[in-house]
Amino acid sequence: MDAKARGYACPRCTVGRCTAQTTTFVDVYHGQLLNMPNTRAFICDVCHFVEFEQEMLGALWEELYGEVARDDAQTVAGHKRSSTYGEG
Ligand SMILES: [Zn+2]
């Protein structure tokens, strides 16, 4: 477990804590339904705000769509490359 696993203050409600959990990632991309169970995310224990790992999303986009999604992946994942990403 890395430090982030202990959670952080929820950016939405500022009351709860977002802690590392797994949930089902569901999204629609270019008209296709994405459904990925057991996806690591940080979930607020108060308002249930869900924030998925940006690294994970970037990797997912690359994996699924390759060059087609490269521009989108950059906007989703940003330019930061965290070296503290947990190994699970
Ligand atoms: Zn919250």
Side-chain angles (χ1 to χ4, degrees):
M1 285 291 200
D2 60 351
K4 283 176 80 178
R6 289 197 296 272
Y8 55 89
C10 176
R12 184 209 262 172
C13 69
T14 71
V15 175
R17 286 194 79 75
C18 296
T19 54
Q21 300 175 49
T22 54
T23 187
T24 301
F25 177 78
V26 180
D27 198 4
V28 176
Y29 186 81
H30 288 198
Q32 295 182 66
L33 179 67
L34 296 179
N35 187 322
M36 198 164 64
N38 301 318
T39 302
R40 183 171 159 166
F42 291 89
I43 304 175
C44 174
D45 56 2
V46 173
C47 70
H48 298 127
F49 169 78
V50 178
E51 185 168 71
F52 287 95
E53 288 273 2
Q54 298 296 295
E55 285 279 310
M56 181 281 294
L57 291 179
L60 171 67
W61 267 212
E62 285 282 326
E63 187 81 17
L64 289 177
Y65 300 107
E67 293 189 9
V68 177
R70 190 144 293 159
D71 289 344
D72 289 344
Q74 284 174 354
T75 58
V76 170
H79 59 273
K80 278 194 211 168
R81 286 289 164 187
S82 172
S83 59
T84 57
Y85 180 73
E87 301 299 319

